[in-house]
Structures are given as C-alpha cells and as structure tokens.
Amino acid sequence: MRRANVDPITHGLIGIALSTLSGHTIQLNDPIILGCTLGAMLPDLDIITHVKGRLNYLLKHRGASHSLIALSAMAVGLSTILYLVFPTTSWTTVFFWTLLGTLSHGIMDLLNSYGAELLWPFSRKKITADMIMLTDPVVLSSLLVSLFISLKLPDYATLSSSAALLLSGIYLGYRHLGRLKTRDRIMEKYDLKDRNQVKVLPAMYHPFTWNFILFQGDNVSFGIIRNKIPAICRVLPKFDGENPSLSNALEGNLAEIFSQFTPYYHVIHHSGDQECKVEFLDLRYWAKGDFIYTGHVFLNADGEISQEIFQPLPNREGVLVGY
C-alpha cells in the first residue's frame, strides 16, 4: 500500500514548475530553483516519526508540520540557508519562491482524503477536498513532460511549466465538477434528500473511479461508482449508541486515535460468550474488498476494556495501543 501522502516526486515536480515561473532556468546553484523545489518537498520530513512505529507516523503525519505556521517557518529557515550559501539573490526574493514551494505542498495535500492540519494549532482538524488519489497520474504526467521540455529547451521552461500547471488546474476543476455530479447521481439513485447523507471520495488506486459513503439514519453503506453506475459493496450494521460495550469502547484509546485519524469511521459490536469485540473501521480507504485501516477493542464479561489493537494493514500484525 502507498504511504498516506502525495508522493515526493509530484511535490518536487510542482516546486520545479513553480520556480521556472521566475524566468530562471533549472540550475542546481540557483537559490530560487532550489528553494522552491526543496520547499515543496520539505514538509514530508515528518516521515522521521516512523522511527517510533507506523501508528505514530499515521497520527503525526500531516499534523503540525503541515500547518501554515510550520510551512512559513520552514520557508524562513530554508531560504536563509540558501541565501547564505548562494548570496547572489536577495533574501526576500529567495524567501518568496521558497514560501511558494512550501505552500504548494500544503495545498496539494488538501486534495486527497488524508488531508492536512493546515490551521494547527487553532484546529486539529485535517482539512480535505476529497478530489484526487494519493498520486494522480494526470498531474504527475503533465509535470514530467514539462520538466523534460524545461531541461531540453531551457528557453521554453516558463511556457511549458505554465502550460502544465494550467492543465493540472483545469483537470482539478473537472474532477471537482465530476465529484458534484457523482454526488447528485447517487442521491437520485438512493432517493436521498439531504446532501449530508452522502460523501463522495476518490478511489485509492483508480483515478476515474469514485467511492461513496451513505449515511441513512444510523445505517452506513460503502459503495463504488464505476462507469456512472453506483454499487453498494458493504452495508454496515446499525450503530447502537445505547449498547454499554460500545459506550465503553468509545471511551478508550483506540476511539481517540480514530477520532484524530479520520473524520469517517464506523464502529461495530461483535458479541461473544465470555468476551465481546468492538470493531473500528476507517471508511476512507478501500482495497481488495476490505477497508485498509481497522481496529479492535476487546472487552471482558464485565464490559471493561481488556485490549485495544490498531490494524494499519489487512492481514498484518496489529499494534497494541492500550491496556
């Protein structure tokens, strides 16, 4: 499975394309080119949180490091270093293009379902536009072509970059309209009256396929729409807010993790003779017939939590998160 971020290649290519709008050709000793390109990739250094485990990375990634405050601070630090190494351009100019690069990273990360905490520390909510996959082939391809032209024909670098960025913008606008039309089609298909009853999300690996979540009362359904035809893949059991086991599970560590990790999750109660289990499902990512991120809370006969496990990948060993 891909990591939960736009790939660093796309970020870097966006930085390069933006930097050539300055009129400079691509050179490794140009602080504007370096600042904008490295700035566009710098926020993903939060991958170092992975040293404390995948769960820590998933919770920390695109958090404070992707806020407007952090992006601005990164631009200040990087532009200062570049100015000291290459004092051929004013610090203000280097800072402007470096800031443009770091901000482009934050904007791109808003476009997929993972989102980013752009307004940290004022809000811990991950903002997302739910428009594209983690790596979009159309955006990536247009930027790669632009880079090739910029390297082969330096005099046309600004023109090719402008064309690639414009094409990407038009494509994103097309995606947005497609998402709205898909939502309306689903509402008509399932006779929904309120737009809040349906959430349309980009599919994980298929650029021209959409996933959707239906909220009808306490019932939640997950589906996929292909060739304009929606189909339900899984109907989740009704959420019983009065079930004491569910209530206890929602007070645990796993519930806090899921509330931070995803805005769309559902909990299911599984009863047993001596022990019951409450399953948590992240409804954003679906692959090979199952949800990617899940978790389980085990409760004893007295309804007390005995164990909590976060499952970062299907069929892989889970991470013990409490008790």
Side-chain angles (χ1 to χ4, degrees):
M1 190 197 76
R2 299 172 189 257
R3 289 188 297 116
N5 57 283
V6 177
D7 67 285
I9 295 176
T10 300
H11 281 306
L13 289 172
I14 291 173
I16 293 173
L18 289 172
S19 68
T20 59
L21 299 183
S22 66
H24 291 215
T25 56
I26 300 174
Q27 299 182 42
L28 295 180
N29 61 349
D30 189 323
I32 288 178
I33 302 295
L34 288 173
C36 199
T37 303
L38 295 177
M41 303 170 69
L42 188 59
D44 275 345
L45 283 180
D46 64 1
I47 192 176
I48 61 174
T49 58
H50 212 301
V51 299
K52 292 186 177 181
R54 180 168 178 79
L55 177 58
N56 183 66
Y57 168 71
L58 290 172
L59 294 178
K60 300 295 184 182
H61 181 49
R62 296 202 192 176
S65 65
H66 284 58
S67 66
L68 289 173
I69 292 176
L71 295 175
S72 300
M74 290 177 192
V76 170
L78 180 57
S79 59
T80 300
I81 293 172
L82 290 172
Y83 174 71
L84 293 174
V85 177
F86 305 104
T88 54
T89 307
S90 70
W91 180 89
T92 303
T93 301
V94 177
F95 169 71
F96 171 80
W97 290 100
T98 304
L99 179 63
L100 191 62
T102 58
L103 291 179
S104 74
H105 186 112
I107 292 171
M108 280 302 296
D109 277 354
L110 298 184
L111 297 181
N112 62 61
S113 296
Y114 202 88
E117 292 182 21
L118 202 65
L119 301 181
W120 179 93
F122 308 105
S123 172
R124 294 297 305 274
K125 179 182 178 180
K126 283 188 169 71
I127 303 171
T128 171
D130 292 320
M131 286 175 58
I132 60 176
M133 300 162 49
L134 297 177
T135 299
D136 189 275
V138 175
V139 174
L140 179 61
S141 298
S142 64
L143 291 169
L144 281 172
V145 171
S146 171
L147 176 62
F148 178 80
I149 294 173
S150 297
L151 292 173
K152 290 295 184 179
L153 303 169
D155 291 341
Y156 292 91
T158 299
L159 179 61
S160 65
S161 294
S162 299
L165 293 170
L166 178 61
L167 176 63
S168 296
I170 293 173
Y171 166 71
L172 292 174
Y174 168 78
R175 289 281 297 180
H176 176 65
L177 292 176
R179 180 170 171 268
L180 296 180
K181 289 181 180 179
T182 298
R183 181 196 62 192
D184 294 340
R185 189 175 294 113
I186 293 171
M187 290 182 66
E188 181 179 359
K189 167 74 174 180
Y190 296 102
D191 194 27
L192 304 176
K193 306 300 182 184
D194 188 347
R195 292 177 178 176
N196 293 324
Q197 290 181 279
V198 58
K199 188 68 179 179
V200 179
L201 307 170
M204 194 164 188
Y205 297 120
H206 305 284
F208 302 108
T209 299
W210 295 95
N211 295 338
F212 62 91
I213 308 169
L214 298 182
F215 302 94
Q216 297 172 291
D218 292 323
N219 295 314
V220 177
S221 301
F222 178 88
I224 298 176
I225 183 165
R226 295 190 182 95
N227 300 321
K228 300 181 180 181
I229 302 175
I232 300 295
C233 298
R234 187 167 175 184
V235 178
L236 304 174
K238 179 179 179 180
F239 174 78
D240 183 5
E242 297 182 358
N243 185 304
S245 296
L246 283 178
S247 298
N248 290 344
L250 290 173
E251 295 295 325
N253 296 330
L254 190 65
E256 183 177 355
I257 287 173
F258 268 77
S259 65
Q260 293 179 22
F261 182 54
T262 172
Y264 311 115
Y265 69 91
H266 190 72
V267 292
I268 303 173
H269 177 258
H270 302 275
S271 60
D273 294 333
Q274 298 297 325
E275 186 178 59
C276 70
K277 178 177 69 174
V278 175
E279 183 179 15
F280 284 71
L281 303 172
D282 178 4
L283 305 181
R284 294 174 301 171
Y285 299 120
W286 174 273
K288 298 180 180 180
D290 202 358
F291 295 106
I292 295 295
Y293 299 116
T294 62
H296 298 92
V297 178
F298 297 91
L299 302 100
N300 59 29
D302 296 325
E304 298 175 341
I305 296 176
S306 59
Q307 191 177 64
E308 297 179 291
I309 298 175
F310 180 82
Q311 197 78 38
L313 290 172
N315 303 318
R316 298 285 184 88
E317 184 178 356
V319 179
L320 187 65
V321 296
Y323 303 93

